[in-house]
Short mmCIF file of all heavy atoms in Angstrom, two decimals:
data_model
loop_
_atom_site.label_atom_id
_atom_site.label_comp_id
_atom_site.label_asym_id
_atom_site.label_seq_id
_atom_site.Cartn_x
_atom_site.Cartn_y
_atom_site.Cartn_z
N SER B 123 -7.02 -5.39 30.29
CA SER B 123 -6.82 -6.67 29.61
C SER B 123 -7.10 -7.83 30.56
O SER B 123 -7.48 -8.91 30.13
CB SER B 123 -5.40 -6.75 29.05
OG SER B 123 -4.48 -6.92 30.10
N GLN B 124 -6.96 -7.60 31.88
CA GLN B 124 -7.25 -8.69 32.81
C GLN B 124 -8.74 -8.86 33.03
O GLN B 124 -9.21 -9.97 33.32
CB GLN B 124 -6.57 -8.42 34.15
CG GLN B 124 -5.08 -8.66 34.08
CD GLN B 124 -4.41 -8.48 35.41
OE1 GLN B 124 -5.07 -8.30 36.43
NE2 GLN B 124 -3.10 -8.52 35.40
N LEU B 125 -9.50 -7.77 32.94
CA LEU B 125 -10.95 -7.84 33.14
C LEU B 125 -11.65 -8.57 32.00
O LEU B 125 -12.77 -9.02 32.16
CB LEU B 125 -11.53 -6.43 33.22
CG LEU B 125 -11.45 -5.72 34.55
CD1 LEU B 125 -11.94 -4.29 34.39
CD2 LEU B 125 -12.27 -6.45 35.59
N SER B 126 -10.96 -8.68 30.88
CA SER B 126 -11.61 -9.20 29.69
C SER B 126 -12.15 -10.61 29.89
O SER B 126 -11.50 -11.46 30.48
CB SER B 126 -10.59 -9.22 28.55
OG SER B 126 -10.94 -10.21 27.62
N PRO B 127 -13.37 -10.86 29.42
CA PRO B 127 -13.94 -12.21 29.52
C PRO B 127 -13.22 -13.18 28.58
O PRO B 127 -13.23 -14.38 28.83
CB PRO B 127 -15.40 -12.01 29.11
CG PRO B 127 -15.40 -10.76 28.30
CD PRO B 127 -14.30 -9.91 28.81
N GLU B 128 -12.62 -12.67 27.54
CA GLU B 128 -11.91 -13.53 26.60
C GLU B 128 -10.44 -13.52 26.96
O GLU B 128 -9.90 -12.51 27.38
CB GLU B 128 -12.05 -12.98 25.17
CG GLU B 128 -13.46 -13.00 24.64
CD GLU B 128 -13.85 -14.38 24.18
OE1 GLU B 128 -12.94 -15.18 23.87
OE2 GLU B 128 -15.07 -14.66 24.15
N GLN B 129 -9.79 -14.65 26.73
CA GLN B 129 -8.37 -14.70 26.99
C GLN B 129 -7.61 -13.94 25.91
O GLN B 129 -8.05 -13.89 24.76
CB GLN B 129 -7.92 -16.15 27.01
CG GLN B 129 -6.82 -16.40 28.01
CD GLN B 129 -6.13 -17.71 27.78
OE1 GLN B 129 -6.40 -18.39 26.81
NE2 GLN B 129 -5.22 -18.05 28.66
N GLY B 130 -6.50 -13.36 26.30
CA GLY B 130 -5.63 -12.72 25.31
C GLY B 130 -6.19 -11.44 24.73
O GLY B 130 -5.95 -11.12 23.58
N SER B 131 -6.95 -10.70 25.55
CA SER B 131 -7.47 -9.43 25.05
C SER B 131 -6.37 -8.38 25.12
O SER B 131 -5.47 -8.45 25.95
CB SER B 131 -8.65 -9.00 25.92
OG SER B 131 -8.95 -7.64 25.68
N SER B 132 -6.45 -7.39 24.26
CA SER B 132 -5.53 -6.27 24.37
C SER B 132 -6.01 -5.40 25.52
O SER B 132 -7.05 -5.66 26.11
CB SER B 132 -5.53 -5.47 23.08
OG SER B 132 -6.71 -4.71 23.01
N GLY B 133 -5.26 -4.38 25.83
CA GLY B 133 -5.72 -3.43 26.85
C GLY B 133 -6.62 -2.39 26.22
O GLY B 133 -7.18 -2.61 25.15
N ILE B 134 -6.73 -1.24 26.89
CA ILE B 134 -7.62 -0.18 26.41
C ILE B 134 -7.11 0.37 25.08
O ILE B 134 -5.96 0.78 24.98
CB ILE B 134 -7.68 0.96 27.43
CG1 ILE B 134 -8.27 0.45 28.74
CG2 ILE B 134 -8.47 2.14 26.89
CD1 ILE B 134 -8.12 1.42 29.89
N GLU B 135 -7.97 0.34 24.07
CA GLU B 135 -7.57 0.92 22.78
C GLU B 135 -8.19 2.30 22.61
O GLU B 135 -7.65 3.15 21.92
CB GLU B 135 -8.00 0.00 21.64
CG GLU B 135 -7.16 -1.24 21.58
CD GLU B 135 -7.49 -2.12 20.40
OE1 GLU B 135 -8.49 -1.85 19.71
OE2 GLU B 135 -6.75 -3.09 20.19
N MET B 136 -9.36 2.49 23.23
CA MET B 136 -9.99 3.78 23.09
C MET B 136 -10.80 4.11 24.32
O MET B 136 -11.40 3.22 24.92
CB MET B 136 -10.91 3.79 21.88
CG MET B 136 -11.03 5.17 21.29
SD MET B 136 -12.67 5.56 20.90
CE MET B 136 -13.04 4.41 19.62
N LEU B 137 -10.75 5.37 24.70
CA LEU B 137 -11.49 5.83 25.85
C LEU B 137 -12.25 7.06 25.38
O LEU B 137 -11.64 7.97 24.84
CB LEU B 137 -10.48 6.24 26.92
CG LEU B 137 -10.65 5.77 28.34
CD1 LEU B 137 -9.29 5.69 28.98
CD2 LEU B 137 -11.50 6.75 29.08
N GLU B 138 -13.55 7.06 25.55
CA GLU B 138 -14.34 8.14 24.96
C GLU B 138 -15.00 9.00 26.03
O GLU B 138 -15.56 8.48 26.98
CB GLU B 138 -15.40 7.52 24.05
CG GLU B 138 -16.11 8.54 23.21
CD GLU B 138 -16.96 7.91 22.14
OE1 GLU B 138 -16.90 6.68 21.99
OE2 GLU B 138 -17.68 8.65 21.47
N THR B 139 -14.90 10.29 25.86
CA THR B 139 -15.62 11.21 26.74
C THR B 139 -16.41 12.16 25.85
O THR B 139 -16.35 12.03 24.62
CB THR B 139 -14.65 12.04 27.60
OG1 THR B 139 -14.06 13.03 26.76
CG2 THR B 139 -13.57 11.17 28.22
N ASP B 140 -17.11 13.12 26.43
CA ASP B 140 -17.88 14.01 25.55
C ASP B 140 -17.03 15.09 24.92
O ASP B 140 -17.44 15.74 23.98
CB ASP B 140 -19.11 14.59 26.26
CG ASP B 140 -18.73 15.32 27.52
OD1 ASP B 140 -17.55 15.25 27.91
OD2 ASP B 140 -19.61 15.96 28.12
N THR B 141 -15.81 15.32 25.42
CA THR B 141 -15.00 16.37 24.80
C THR B 141 -13.77 15.84 24.05
O THR B 141 -13.17 16.57 23.30
CB THR B 141 -14.50 17.36 25.85
OG1 THR B 141 -13.86 16.61 26.90
CG2 THR B 141 -15.64 18.17 26.44
N PHE B 142 -13.40 14.60 24.30
CA PHE B 142 -12.25 14.07 23.57
C PHE B 142 -12.28 12.56 23.57
O PHE B 142 -13.02 11.94 24.34
CB PHE B 142 -10.94 14.57 24.19
CG PHE B 142 -10.57 13.88 25.48
CD1 PHE B 142 -9.68 12.82 25.47
CD2 PHE B 142 -11.12 14.28 26.68
CE1 PHE B 142 -9.35 12.17 26.65
CE2 PHE B 142 -10.79 13.65 27.86
CZ PHE B 142 -9.90 12.59 27.85
N LYS B 143 -11.49 11.98 22.67
CA LYS B 143 -11.29 10.54 22.67
C LYS B 143 -9.81 10.27 22.88
O LYS B 143 -8.97 10.96 22.29
CB LYS B 143 -11.70 9.95 21.32
CG LYS B 143 -13.13 9.52 21.21
CD LYS B 143 -13.33 8.76 19.91
CE LYS B 143 -14.80 8.66 19.57
NZ LYS B 143 -15.01 8.14 18.20
N LEU B 144 -9.52 9.26 23.70
CA LEU B 144 -8.15 8.84 23.89
C LEU B 144 -7.94 7.56 23.09
O LEU B 144 -8.70 6.61 23.24
CB LEU B 144 -7.90 8.59 25.38
CG LEU B 144 -6.55 8.08 25.85
CD1 LEU B 144 -6.31 8.54 27.27
CD2 LEU B 144 -6.46 6.57 25.79
N HIS B 145 -6.95 7.58 22.22
CA HIS B 145 -6.64 6.38 21.43
C HIS B 145 -5.28 5.87 21.88
O HIS B 145 -4.34 6.64 22.03
CB HIS B 145 -6.55 6.72 19.94
CG HIS B 145 -7.78 7.38 19.41
ND1 HIS B 145 -8.70 6.71 18.65
CD2 HIS B 145 -8.24 8.65 19.53
CE1 HIS B 145 -9.68 7.54 18.32
NE2 HIS B 145 -9.42 8.73 18.84
N CYS B 146 -5.19 4.56 22.07
CA CYS B 146 -3.93 4.00 22.53
C CYS B 146 -3.51 2.84 21.63
O CYS B 146 -4.34 2.02 21.23
CB CYS B 146 -4.07 3.49 23.97
SG CYS B 146 -2.59 2.68 24.56
N PHE B 147 -2.24 2.81 21.28
CA PHE B 147 -1.71 1.72 20.46
C PHE B 147 -0.48 1.17 21.17
O PHE B 147 0.46 1.91 21.45
CB PHE B 147 -1.34 2.27 19.08
CG PHE B 147 -0.48 1.35 18.25
CD1 PHE B 147 -0.89 0.05 17.96
CD2 PHE B 147 0.74 1.78 17.76
CE1 PHE B 147 -0.10 -0.79 17.19
CE2 PHE B 147 1.55 0.95 16.99
CZ PHE B 147 1.12 -0.34 16.71
N GLN B 148 -0.52 -0.11 21.52
CA GLN B 148 0.64 -0.72 22.16
C GLN B 148 1.37 -1.60 21.16
O GLN B 148 0.76 -2.44 20.49
CB GLN B 148 0.23 -1.55 23.37
CG GLN B 148 1.42 -2.23 24.03
CD GLN B 148 1.04 -2.99 25.28
OE1 GLN B 148 1.28 -2.55 26.37
NE2 GLN B 148 0.44 -4.14 25.08
N THR B 149 2.67 -1.40 21.04
CA THR B 149 3.44 -2.21 20.09
C THR B 149 3.76 -3.56 20.72
O THR B 149 3.56 -3.77 21.91
CB THR B 149 4.76 -1.52 19.75
OG1 THR B 149 5.60 -1.57 20.91
CG2 THR B 149 4.56 -0.07 19.38
N LEU B 150 4.25 -4.48 19.89
CA LEU B 150 4.60 -5.81 20.40
C LEU B 150 5.70 -5.75 21.44
O LEU B 150 5.84 -6.64 22.26
CB LEU B 150 5.05 -6.70 19.24
CG LEU B 150 3.99 -7.07 18.21
CD1 LEU B 150 4.56 -7.99 17.17
CD2 LEU B 150 2.81 -7.74 18.89
N THR B 151 6.50 -4.69 21.38
CA THR B 151 7.58 -4.58 22.35
C THR B 151 7.11 -3.90 23.64
O THR B 151 7.88 -3.81 24.58
CB THR B 151 8.74 -3.77 21.76
OG1 THR B 151 8.22 -2.55 21.26
CG2 THR B 151 9.41 -4.52 20.64
N GLY B 152 5.88 -3.40 23.65
CA GLY B 152 5.34 -2.87 24.90
C GLY B 152 5.34 -1.36 25.03
O GLY B 152 4.96 -0.83 26.06
N ILE B 153 5.76 -0.64 23.97
CA ILE B 153 5.67 0.82 24.01
C ILE B 153 4.22 1.23 23.72
O ILE B 153 3.58 0.63 22.86
CB ILE B 153 6.56 1.45 22.92
CG1 ILE B 153 7.95 0.86 22.95
CG2 ILE B 153 6.57 2.96 23.02
CD1 ILE B 153 8.90 1.53 23.84
N LYS B 154 3.72 2.22 24.45
CA LYS B 154 2.36 2.69 24.19
C LYS B 154 2.41 4.09 23.58
O LYS B 154 3.10 4.97 24.08
CB LYS B 154 1.57 2.76 25.48
CG LYS B 154 1.08 1.44 25.97
CD LYS B 154 0.19 1.68 27.18
CE LYS B 154 0.10 0.47 28.06
NZ LYS B 154 1.39 -0.05 28.49
N PHE B 155 1.65 4.26 22.51
CA PHE B 155 1.47 5.58 21.93
C PHE B 155 0.04 6.00 22.21
O PHE B 155 -0.89 5.25 21.90
CB PHE B 155 1.74 5.56 20.43
CG PHE B 155 3.16 5.19 20.09
CD1 PHE B 155 3.49 3.90 19.76
CD2 PHE B 155 4.16 6.15 20.14
CE1 PHE B 155 4.81 3.55 19.48
CE2 PHE B 155 5.47 5.82 19.87
CZ PHE B 155 5.79 4.52 19.53
N VAL B 156 -0.14 7.16 22.82
CA VAL B 156 -1.47 7.61 23.19
C VAL B 156 -1.74 8.95 22.53
O VAL B 156 -0.90 9.85 22.60
CB VAL B 156 -1.58 7.75 24.72
CG1 VAL B 156 -2.95 8.26 25.12
CG2 VAL B 156 -1.27 6.44 25.41
N VAL B 157 -2.88 9.06 21.87
CA VAL B 157 -3.25 10.32 21.22
C VAL B 157 -4.60 10.77 21.78
O VAL B 157 -5.54 9.98 21.82
CB VAL B 157 -3.34 10.14 19.69
CG1 VAL B 157 -4.03 11.33 19.06
CG2 VAL B 157 -1.97 9.97 19.09
N LEU B 158 -4.67 12.00 22.23
CA LEU B 158 -5.95 12.58 22.63
C LEU B 158 -6.44 13.45 21.49
O LEU B 158 -5.71 14.32 21.03
CB LEU B 158 -5.81 13.44 23.88
CG LEU B 158 -5.13 12.85 25.11
CD1 LEU B 158 -5.29 13.79 26.30
CD2 LEU B 158 -5.70 11.50 25.44
N ALA B 159 -7.64 13.19 21.03
CA ALA B 159 -8.12 13.92 19.87
C ALA B 159 -9.60 14.27 20.04
O ALA B 159 -10.29 13.72 20.90
CB ALA B 159 -7.93 13.08 18.60
N ASP B 160 -10.04 15.19 19.19
CA ASP B 160 -11.45 15.53 19.11
C ASP B 160 -12.23 14.25 18.80
O ASP B 160 -11.77 13.44 18.00
CB ASP B 160 -11.62 16.55 17.99
CG ASP B 160 -13.01 17.13 17.96
OD1 ASP B 160 -13.94 16.43 17.50
OD2 ASP B 160 -13.16 18.28 18.39
N PRO B 161 -13.43 14.08 19.39
CA PRO B 161 -14.18 12.84 19.12
C PRO B 161 -14.50 12.65 17.64
O PRO B 161 -14.69 11.53 17.18
CB PRO B 161 -15.46 13.03 19.93
CG PRO B 161 -15.19 14.08 20.91
CD PRO B 161 -14.09 14.94 20.37
N ARG B 162 -14.56 13.75 16.89
CA ARG B 162 -14.92 13.63 15.48
C ARG B 162 -13.71 13.40 14.57
O ARG B 162 -13.86 13.15 13.38
CB ARG B 162 -15.66 14.88 15.01
CG ARG B 162 -17.03 15.03 15.66
CD ARG B 162 -17.53 16.43 15.48
NE ARG B 162 -16.56 17.39 16.03
CZ ARG B 162 -16.65 18.70 15.89
NH1 ARG B 162 -17.64 19.22 15.20
NH2 ARG B 162 -15.75 19.49 16.42
N GLN B 163 -12.53 13.53 15.12
CA GLN B 163 -11.33 13.38 14.30
C GLN B 163 -11.21 11.94 13.79
O GLN B 163 -11.25 10.99 14.57
CB GLN B 163 -10.10 13.73 15.13
CG GLN B 163 -8.77 13.50 14.45
CD GLN B 163 -8.45 14.59 13.43
OE1 GLN B 163 -8.81 15.73 13.61
NE2 GLN B 163 -7.78 14.20 12.37
N ALA B 164 -11.04 11.78 12.48
CA ALA B 164 -10.90 10.44 11.91
C ALA B 164 -9.43 10.16 11.59
O ALA B 164 -8.60 11.06 11.64
CB ALA B 164 -11.73 10.33 10.63
N GLY B 165 -9.14 8.93 11.30
CA GLY B 165 -7.80 8.56 10.84
C GLY B 165 -6.76 8.48 11.94
O GLY B 165 -5.56 8.59 11.68
N ILE B 166 -7.19 8.26 13.17
CA ILE B 166 -6.23 8.21 14.27
C ILE B 166 -5.41 6.92 14.22
O ILE B 166 -4.23 6.91 14.57
CB ILE B 166 -6.95 8.33 15.62
CG1 ILE B 166 -7.66 9.66 15.72
CG2 ILE B 166 -5.95 8.19 16.78
CD1 ILE B 166 -6.76 10.84 15.87
N ASP B 167 -6.02 5.82 13.76
CA ASP B 167 -5.28 4.55 13.72
C ASP B 167 -4.04 4.67 12.86
O ASP B 167 -2.96 4.25 13.25
CB ASP B 167 -6.17 3.43 13.18
CG ASP B 167 -7.09 2.91 14.27
OD1 ASP B 167 -6.91 3.34 15.42
OD2 ASP B 167 -7.97 2.10 13.96
N SER B 168 -4.21 5.27 11.67
CA SER B 168 -3.03 5.39 10.81
C SER B 168 -2.06 6.41 11.38
O SER B 168 -0.84 6.27 11.21
CB SER B 168 -3.44 5.74 9.38
OG SER B 168 -4.22 6.90 9.39
N LEU B 169 -2.58 7.40 12.10
CA LEU B 169 -1.68 8.36 12.74
C LEU B 169 -0.81 7.66 13.79
O LEU B 169 0.39 7.89 13.88
CB LEU B 169 -2.47 9.49 13.39
CG LEU B 169 -1.62 10.45 14.25
CD1 LEU B 169 -0.67 11.26 13.39
CD2 LEU B 169 -2.49 11.38 15.08
N LEU B 170 -1.43 6.75 14.56
CA LEU B 170 -0.67 6.04 15.60
C LEU B 170 0.44 5.19 14.98
O LEU B 170 1.56 5.15 15.49
CB LEU B 170 -1.62 5.15 16.41
CG LEU B 170 -2.49 5.91 17.42
CD1 LEU B 170 -3.61 5.02 17.94
CD2 LEU B 170 -1.66 6.43 18.57
N ARG B 171 0.13 4.54 13.85
CA ARG B 171 1.16 3.76 13.16
C ARG B 171 2.28 4.68 12.66
O ARG B 171 3.46 4.34 12.71
CB ARG B 171 0.57 2.99 11.97
CG ARG B 171 -0.52 2.01 12.31
CD ARG B 171 0.05 0.78 13.00
NE ARG B 171 -0.91 -0.26 13.27
CZ ARG B 171 -1.94 -0.17 14.12
NH1 ARG B 171 -2.19 0.95 14.74
NH2 ARG B 171 -2.73 -1.18 14.34
N LYS B 172 1.85 5.84 12.18
CA LYS B 172 2.82 6.81 11.66
C LYS B 172 3.73 7.30 12.79
O LYS B 172 4.95 7.43 12.60
CB LYS B 172 2.05 7.99 11.05
CG LYS B 172 2.91 9.08 10.49
CD LYS B 172 3.48 8.69 9.15
CE LYS B 172 4.55 9.66 8.73
NZ LYS B 172 5.40 9.14 7.67
N ILE B 173 3.16 7.51 13.96
CA ILE B 173 3.98 7.95 15.10
C ILE B 173 4.98 6.86 15.47
O ILE B 173 6.12 7.15 15.83
CB ILE B 173 3.08 8.32 16.30
CG1 ILE B 173 2.19 9.51 15.95
CG2 ILE B 173 3.92 8.67 17.52
CD1 ILE B 173 1.21 9.89 17.03
N TYR B 174 4.53 5.61 15.37
CA TYR B 174 5.45 4.48 15.64
C TYR B 174 6.63 4.53 14.68
O TYR B 174 7.79 4.37 15.07
CB TYR B 174 4.68 3.17 15.52
CG TYR B 174 5.44 1.92 15.97
CD1 TYR B 174 6.55 2.01 16.81
CD2 TYR B 174 5.01 0.67 15.57
CE1 TYR B 174 7.21 0.87 17.23
CE2 TYR B 174 5.67 -0.47 15.98
CZ TYR B 174 6.78 -0.37 16.80
OH TYR B 174 7.43 -1.50 17.20
N GLU B 175 6.33 4.78 13.41
CA GLU B 175 7.41 4.88 12.42
C GLU B 175 8.36 6.03 12.76
O GLU B 175 9.58 5.89 12.68
CB GLU B 175 6.84 5.11 11.02
CG GLU B 175 6.43 3.84 10.32
CD GLU B 175 5.96 4.12 8.89
OE1 GLU B 175 6.54 4.98 8.22
OE2 GLU B 175 4.99 3.46 8.46
N ILE B 176 7.77 7.17 13.12
CA ILE B 176 8.60 8.32 13.45
C ILE B 176 9.47 8.02 14.66
O ILE B 176 10.65 8.35 14.72
CB ILE B 176 7.71 9.56 13.70
CG1 ILE B 176 7.02 9.98 12.40
CG2 ILE B 176 8.51 10.72 14.27
CD1 ILE B 176 5.96 11.02 12.57
N TYR B 177 8.87 7.32 15.63
CA TYR B 177 9.63 6.93 16.83
C TYR B 177 10.79 6.01 16.44
O TYR B 177 11.91 6.18 16.90
CB TYR B 177 8.68 6.24 17.81
CG TYR B 177 9.35 5.50 18.94
CD1 TYR B 177 9.91 6.18 20.01
CD2 TYR B 177 9.39 4.11 18.94
CE1 TYR B 177 10.52 5.50 21.04
CE2 TYR B 177 9.99 3.42 19.98
CZ TYR B 177 10.55 4.12 21.02
OH TYR B 177 11.16 3.44 22.04
#
Side-chain angles (χ1 to χ4, degrees):
Chain B
S123 72
Q124 286 183 7
L125 277 174
S126 154
E128 295 281 337
Q129 214 195 6
S131 165
S132 76
I134 298 168
E135 288 184 351
M136 208 224 295
L137 227 152
E138 190 169 354
T139 74
D140 56 352
T141 52
F142 76 97
K143 270 189 196 170
L144 177 153
H145 304 257
C146 176
F147 166 57
Q148 178 176 256
T149 70
L150 293 182
T151 52
I153 311 271
K154 283 186 203 54
F155 297 97
V156 178
V157 166
L158 308 189
D160 189 284
R162 293 164 303 172
Q163 175 77 33
I166 298 289
D167 280 353
S168 56
L169 172 68
L170 284 167
R171 300 287 185 294
K172 179 77 191 163
I173 296 176
Y174 188 20
E175 276 184 38
I176 293 170
Y177 166 75

